[in-house]
Amino acid sequence: MRKSILAAGAAFALAATAMGGNYAFPSPWNPAGKAAEDVTQYVLFIWDDNAYSGIEGSYYEDKAGTLAWNEGGRVGGKRPEGDTWSPTNNPLNIIETGPGKKFGINWAVENLAKTKGIKMTFNMITGLYANVWSDGTEAQGDAWQNYQSLMGYHSDYPGFTKRAVSWGREQRIAVGGKNSPIIQQMFMYDITQKMIQAGCEIGNHTIDHMEANSVLPGGSHSSSNSWGFGRWDTGGDFGSGFMGSNANKLPWQTQTIDENATYGYGSSSAWETKVGWGVYAGCWLNAQTWEGLISLGEEWLKRGSGRNDTEGGAGLGQSYKIYGFRAPRLEVNSAMFYALDKLNYEYDCGLEEGYEDHVDGYNFLWPYTLDNGVRNSWSQMNIGERVFVDSTPVGFWEIPVNCVIVPEGLRAELARKHNKINPTDDPVPAVWNGKITSFDFNMWILYGMNKTEYVEVMKNTFDRRYNGNRAPMQYGCHTDYYTPMYDYQTLLRPFDRQTYGLVVDSGWNTWEIRQQGTEEFVDYAKGMLNTEFVTGHGLVEELNNLNAESEARIKKTENLDDARFVGYNNKGNEIGSEFTGSTGDSGIKLNVAPGDDNQPLYIYMFEQTYDSLTHISIDYKSRTATAINLLIDKNGNGEWDGEYDDNGKYDPNGDEIRQVTLAHRYSPVSINGTGNQNWEGADFRNSGKIPLTSFDFEPYYEGVRNYSSIDPSKIIGIQIVPLAPYGHIPEYNEVPAFNKRGDDFELGFAFKNIRLHSGKKFEYDADDLPDNDSKDVVAIATTVNTKGARFAVAGISANSLRLSIATAGKYDIKVFGVNGRLLQSFNAQSLTSGYNTLKLNNLAKGVYLIKVQGIDMKQQLTKSALVL
């Protein structure tokens, strides 16, 4: 193999960014590289939307319909001393402590944290700690239309004289001025103190979700102290905290959301432009605005001197350390991560992971630091989805929200329920992969699970982790959903009753059933050996310990600055005239034509073996993602045979590639939060010491994935691969949709200082992890001639075939028996991009050959699969 130099070492003179104190690479294996049975299975319950305390004396609705201010019930059947609010009845017999009914935050604290002894995290909506008062000119009931708070009030909201910008539904309320006698105690303050006493962690979830009660740029507010939502006004093209110059970024200007139509309450055409979170508005905030709003929330968590404080606040005190954050509605961007890092937060817990086809619950990612970006953001961008995360800070932790996975036997029924509850959404097919974002709303409300279904889904998801790689299980939950108010005043109100309210009217679940199902799962998980419920911060501490064990293995480092690389395309042909390249102090530029065949890669073949290799690190910068591939001599002949045979066909018996993706990038079409989207002028990023246990199988690997340790003596080379996206990258004003890239893409990248770290090897024997989620498909052999398109058999049973298709078009699909007999065919079938389900004629158990031929594009897939 002829070698050439790829602008090694000296050509790239910029210094690498220093690593942060914390570090862990995104990996399906734990940071220490231990065998799964030697690792604790961690479970996290992280709560949001914590609006109702459940404290004795707090108010609740006990029936559907809008109640007058002096109707309803009181926890314990009494009101606190000095509280003039009526009534004092308790129709649902709800209490605060002891055996009996509880609800909301108090149920979570009493029944889960205290009785069952689990630790949890509560991300608090900090606007719920703002006291409100009227000026005393209206009667007690009418005063609801005349309230203000320290964060100001709206003076032009329809139906209100003054509407408090942010106020606590269970905080101090006064009707005769700020310092007048109160009509409600500070229940949210009380329950927060109770959470801390129970060993729970308090995190930040911002002010009132920054939604209907919060003035957005362009709105009006008045107050003697108007500092609150001045935090929005932190620059940007519109002087209002938003990035860029395209008006489509401001949904209330060009994509105005009608709050009355969307949420079923108070809106007018004028007001819609002034309040409301809008359509993915969080994704467009600049770093300065995120910083202002996050710090505003933290101020309200730390302010307050007691339950009679006239200003409110959670009363945590200035010395209380707030570690964690979750963005409203998971609307994150890179700017948010940089703001959190600047404010010395430790972790975020709102990034969704686990939707890639090869992720099946046994190999979910462990939490990681953002030094090398977010793998899933590149996966989405690669197929043409709009993404909002590219560049990310170092040393900042992400605890991802991985999916729950529905057992195969429940999928058809839950798909039916989902489609009935959400008649306007894209229907879920009866045959699907069973993945649902791991939040209680998705399970109980969107999919209408009953208690049995919920517990089975949670057990199945937990068991896959426990019997797989033991990645921590984060479950996102909302204490609101475990209150009678949520059923009676949200689900059963006329606006929601025919959709979300079906879960109650159909008898699928209620607030009490949701409690019972949650407690049943907690009991199940607690009963498993070596399982522990932890807070977000507690988990990060454990992960730091595991990572320290990993790096302690290193005894020696070898720098490969003088490595010589050869450039190839991914079919094994040396790069020729189809690429244009130029080198310089800032790196390499390559124009890459569409299609997988044109993907460049640079290879360094080892001239010796590294029997004790443990970690690899690299300095890099790029405008797209960069992959590092380890070339593993699976056949043991001392040579690299490659993935493809001499005819360019995929060879399942060839040598193996293990891969990591460096997703940190300086993208020209997304938001990096640093003000520098020019990769050439950007700093190098040091990857950190990537353990061999982090090198995963390629996303489209067809065989069984064995996650036992890599034998370093079998590694015979390294590939560095600047990744050209497969899909069209949408501009800001385009509707996200999958489109195959049709134009040349200019890769811009640079790398240097590849280091091999050696020491005590990662050695363990782990069981092979399943390569599919339903266990009714076993990939045996694959022949692909796709010209850039990707296909996969996503599921097969006796009566249905599910295909994953990258490019929409017309295809011939044929099902053959092992004897070559054609059993069923679909001619000129129109398939859409994504998943497609076809009906089969009751296949018997056995092995079948599935052939897919694109009749327009001459693209084909032949795959063997097993019906059990």
Side-chain angles (χ1 to χ4, degrees), residues 680-698:
E680 293 176 274
D683 289 340
F684 279 86
R685 173 63 58 91
N686 177 252
S687 66
K689 299 178 182 69
I690 306 170
L692 292 193
T693 52
S694 293
F695 282 81
D696 200 353
F697 294 87
E698 294 178 287

Side-chain angles (χ1 to χ4, degrees), residues 139-253:
Q140 184 168 328
D142 296 332
W144 286 112
Q145 281 72 46
N146 184 23
Y147 274 137
Q148 58 183 295
S149 74
L150 280 181
M151 274 185 265
Y153 56 85
H154 308 311
S155 58
D156 55 353
Y157 192 93
F160 287 77
T161 304
K162 296 176 182 177
R163 184 185 183 189
V165 166
S166 192
W167 63 286
R169 284 170 283 191
E170 295 202 349
Q171 278 292 103
R172 189 180 194 273
I173 300 175
V175 295
K178 177 179 176 181
N179 297 309
S180 66
I182 62 174
I183 62 171
Q184 179 173 280
Q185 298 290 332
M186 293 171 66
F187 297 121
M188 289 302 297
Y189 174 89
D190 291 343
I191 193 61
T192 302
Q193 303 307 309
K194 193 173 185 179
M195 283 189 279
I196 295 173
Q197 292 166 8
C200 297
E201 175 189 9
I202 309 297
N204 188 348
H205 198 44
T206 70
I207 297 287
D208 273 1
H209 276 70
M210 296 181 281
E211 54 175 81
N213 269 13
S214 304
V215 170
L216 293 178
S220 62
H221 66 280
S222 304
S223 175
S224 59
N225 183 356
S226 60
W227 55 265
F229 279 80
R231 304 299 178 93
W232 282 97
D233 200 12
T234 55
D237 287 356
F238 296 90
S240 53
F242 289 83
M243 287 182 283
S245 57
N246 192 316
N248 285 306
K249 296 179 184 178
L250 303 180
W252 46 92
Q253 289 188 11

Side-chain angles (χ1 to χ4, degrees), residues 397-452:
W397 282 92
E398 178 59 41
I399 303 174
V401 182
N402 282 307
C403 314
V404 294
I405 299 182
V406 178
E408 185 183 10
L410 297 179
R411 293 178 189 175
E413 172 62 10
L414 291 182
R416 182 191 71 81
K417 288 183 178 180
H418 174 276
N419 298 338
K420 186 175 182 180
I421 294 167
N422 307 275
T424 60
D425 288 358
D426 291 334
V428 175
V431 179
W432 55 300
N433 62 14
K435 292 182 178 180
I436 301 173
T437 301
S438 182
F439 275 86
D440 51 2
F441 178 81
N442 302 55
M443 299 173 69
W444 291 114
I445 310 304
L446 285 184
Y447 282 82
M449 295 184 190
N450 58 36
K451 188 179 78 169
T452 299

Side-chain angles (χ1 to χ4, degrees), residues 20 41 99 130 164 175 246 258 405 452 477 556 585 667 698 732 753 847 861:
Q41 176 64 65
V175 295
N246 192 316
D258 183 342
I405 299 182
T452 299
C477 29
K556 183 179 69 173
D585 291 343
S667 171
E698 294 178 287
Y732 285 137
N753 296 335
V847 177
L861 166 77

Side-chain angles (χ1 to χ4, degrees), residues 42-48 50 103-124 191-192 194-204 320-321 323-324 326 347 349 399 440 454 473-479 482 515 518-519 521-523 526 532-539:
Y42 295 110
V43 182
L44 299 90
F45 273 30
I46 299 185
W47 299 88
D48 300 333
N50 304 299
F103 70 71
I105 303 175
N106 185 63
W107 160 74
V109 172
E110 285 287 325
N111 286 28
L112 301 181
K114 294 173 70 174
T115 301
K116 298 187 182 299
I118 69 173
K119 296 179 180 179
M120 301 180 293
T121 294
F122 291 84
N123 290 321
M124 300 307 295
I191 193 61
T192 302
K194 193 173 185 179
M195 283 189 279
I196 295 173
Q197 292 166 8
C200 297
E201 175 189 9
I202 309 297
N204 188 348
Y320 188 90
K321 173 62 178 173
Y323 294 97
R326 176 178 280 149
Y347 71 89
C349 54
I399 303 174
D440 51 2
Y454 169 86
M473 178 178 177
Q474 184 199 160
Y475 177 58
C477 29
H478 308 78
T479 56
Y482 306 87
Q515 289 185 4
T518 303
E519 292 186 33
F521 167 70
V522 169
D523 289 339
K526 279 179 60 65
E532 183 179 350
F533 283 78
V534 292
T535 65
H537 173 60
L539 175 63

Side-chain angles (χ1 to χ4, degrees), residues 585-606:
D585 291 343
S586 296
I588 303 294
K589 293 180 181 178
L590 289 176
N591 291 323
V592 181
D596 284 353
D597 290 359
N598 298 306
Q599 175 66 64
L601 51 87
Y602 294 85
I603 305 176
Y604 170 73
M605 300 304 295
F606 289 170

Side-chain angles (χ1 to χ4, degrees), residues 23 101 129 183 196 221 247 302 317 330 407 424 488 508 518 567 631 645 737 763 803:
Y23 173 73
K101 292 183 182 179
Y129 296 101
I183 62 171
I196 295 173
H221 66 280
K302 292 185 174 182
L330 308 186
T424 60
Y488 302 143
W508 296 332
T518 303
L631 308 182
D645 61 23
E763 291 184 299
L803 296 174

